[in-house]
Structure formats: C-alpha cells, structure tokens
Amino acid sequence: VQLQASGGGLVQAGGSLRLSCAASGRTFSRYGMGWFRQAPGKEREFVAAITWSGGGTLHADSVKGRFTISRDNARNTVYLQMNNLKPEDTAVYYCAADPAIGLSPLPTRYDYWGQGTQVTVSS
C-alpha cells in the first residue's frame, strides 16, 4: 500500500482543515488506518485511528471533540477533519496503514506510512 497525504496548510487558531490520505492498491479496505503527527523536537504522536470498515474509531484525548477520522473505501481515501485548531496542533501529519484487526495508537502496529503534510496553526 502506498499512501499520499495532502490538505495541510497555514490556518489561524480556531480554523479548520481537512486532511486526505489517498491509498494505492486494491487492498486498502483490508487495512485499519491511522493519523499521527510530529512536531519539531518531539516524538511522533498518535492522533486518530479507524477500522477497516469505518465502524470503529479512536481519537487521542488531545483532539477528541475537535478532530474526526473517517474513510471512503470506494475512493481508497481516509480523512481527518480538524476543527477549532490550536497552535499546539502545529506538526507534520502522517497517515499510516495497520494490517492487524482492531484499533491501535502504537506506531509500531502500522506497516505503511505516507510522506506527511505540514499543518501550521497561527495564534
């Protein structure tokens, strides 16, 4: 599976962005998907995950109520809707594919990673 993330940019605090992650290959629907982020000088951080069917989701406490992960298997795409953005959300955002069943916040569970898209939130 090859992943291509897009949709990042510069936004003011309180604004919104929607990230997309397009996957190549016909097995996209077999993978759980996740979003992670990494700010300068910090470790990669879990943001959200979704099961292969889209029936289950998991969001980090830091984004719960503001971010929503979703997917469209017909379009081989997973999304991250980000609302009420804060300066501390500034980071490079990565999408990743998890071949195992269930939801996980652990980066080691994910076998395939996209190249990342920069999100910058100004105060």
Side-chain angles (χ1 to χ4, degrees):
V1 176
Q2 292 185 325
L3 305 173
Q4 180 77 33
S6 62
L10 173 64
V11 64
Q12 289 188 334
S16 298
L17 283 173
R18 188 176 79 156
L19 304 184
S20 298
C21 176
S24 65
R26 292 176 289 180
T27 59
F28 172 74
S29 61
R30 298 180 186 178
Y31 290 86
M33 297 295 295
W35 285 98
F36 293 77
R37 65 187 182 187
Q38 188 165 18
K42 294 187 177 182
E43 293 187 354
R44 192 163 294 190
E45 175 189 21
F46 170 75
V47 176
I50 190 166
T51 57
W52 66 271
S53 67
T57 61
L58 177 68
H59 295 81
D61 287 344
S62 59
V63 306
K64 201 170 292 183
R66 300 188 299 122
F67 292 10
T68 303
I69 189 171
S70 62
R71 67 188 295 161
D72 184 340
N73 286 344
R75 297 178 183 270
N76 280 8
T77 302
V78 62
Y79 304 98
L80 185 68
Q81 178 67 45
M82 305 187 296
N83 298 328
N84 190 21
L85 282 159
K86 302 177 181 181
E88 52 263 43
D89 295 319
T90 295
V92 177
Y93 283 71
Y94 299 88
C95 58
D98 173 12
I101 295 173
L103 298 163
S104 176
L106 301 176
T108 52
R109 265 273 293 264
Y110 294 78
D111 285 355
Y112 303 97
W113 292 81
Q115 86 291 357
T117 185
Q118 176 71 48
V119 172
T120 303
V121 184
S122 63
S123 58

